[in-house]
Amino acid sequence: MAIDTRITPKQKLQPWQGGFWLSELAFPIFIAALCAGVFAGTHLYYVYGTGLFNDIAIGALLQQGFEGNGYGAAAAFGAGFMLARIIEGPMVGILDIGGSIQTGVGIGIPAMLMSVGITAPLENFWLSLTVGAVIGLAMGFLILAIRRATVASTGAQSTFGADVMMGAGNAAGRYLGPLIILAAGSASLPVGLGSLLGAALFYWWKKPLAGGAILGAMAAGAFFPIVIAA
């Protein structure tokens, strides 16, 4: 579909004027593709022990269930993240893939299925792709429905807290820099100095201190590794 050229450069380009892939209806398709891949990755982890789209710590929650220790922690953690991001996404216009899809679809939903004895979606690759795509479509349309009922509704006079949610992470993150420096310094003196130097450089560049503190600590740790007692 060609882009609508009947608008001037000063006019705002509407989603439907950029073709189908820039329209709202394409959003559930993208989410379905992402969810299908992540759910299939969990299938690979269940069958072959690799392929999970999550951090090691989060994957360990699901592994505990595989080993017979219960799926409660993985299900609660993953589903909680997914629900929070589904509510947040329509408001701020940004969907956190890590919380909603990687953790929610990749950990939470498989844990819930396994807890009630439904193992087929994790045992068959093609079925895992299908189940993941269906979950993604449902998630995408649900997000669009919430958005149209709140911030994008006709005559909406409220942000529904979207402005607060959008700024909370960045506003709180600026205070983490000193804490990261202190934590790095308590680990070892060279790593602490590296963290301090990185934070100072980022402050000079007018960038967030937390990023500089983390990168500085990592760089110093590469040259002055911390010996972990056996």
Side-chain angles (χ1 to χ4, degrees):
M1 182 182 295
I3 296 178
D4 191 344
T5 57
R6 293 174 296 175
I7 61 173
T8 66
K10 294 183 179 180
Q11 290 178 303
K12 183 179 179 181
L13 182 66
Q14 300 298 324
W16 57 84
Q17 292 174 311
F20 173 76
W21 296 112
L22 292 181
S23 67
E24 283 189 346
L25 291 178
F27 177 73
I29 297 178
F30 288 123
I31 299 301
L34 289 170
C35 289
V38 169
F39 202 92
T42 305
H43 150 76
L44 294 175
Y45 182 71
Y46 177 71
V47 176
Y48 302 106
T50 186
L52 193 66
F53 287 90
N54 286 96
D55 295 336
I56 296 176
I58 300 176
L61 296 176
L62 189 61
Q63 182 63 37
Q64 289 296 312
F66 293 162
E67 295 174 355
N69 296 320
Y71 292 95
F77 183 79
F81 254 102
M82 182 176 64
L83 292 175
R85 296 301 178 250
I86 288 176
I87 295 173
E88 176 194 44
M91 303 294 187
V92 303
I94 299 174
L95 181 64
D96 182 355
I97 295 177
S100 62
I101 297 178
Q102 290 180 255
T103 302
V105 178
I107 297 294
I109 293 180
M112 289 188 288
L113 293 176
M114 296 292 287
S115 65
V116 295
I118 302 176
T119 61
L122 294 179
E123 293 174 344
N124 184 278
F125 175 73
W126 297 109
L127 183 58
S128 68
L129 283 176
T130 304
V131 170
V134 171
I135 293 171
L137 284 174
M139 183 186 299
F141 283 114
L142 177 60
I143 289 173
L144 291 181
I146 295 174
R147 184 167 180 79
R148 291 188 178 185
T150 54
V151 292
S153 61
T154 303
Q157 300 296 322
S158 172
T159 63
F160 295 88
D163 48 349
V164 177
M165 284 188 282
M166 192 66 175
N170 293 333
R174 70 184 64 179
Y175 300 105
L176 294 178
L179 296 178
I180 295 173
I181 296 173
L182 290 174
S186 64
S188 77
L189 180 59
V191 171
L193 292 175
S195 179
L196 180 61
L197 178 60
L201 288 175
F202 269 51
Y203 179 78
W204 184 46
W205 293 330
K206 293 180 170 48
K207 301 296 182 181
L209 291 183
I214 293 172
L215 292 176
M218 293 173 61
F223 293 98
F224 303 96
I226 300 174
V227 178
I228 300 176

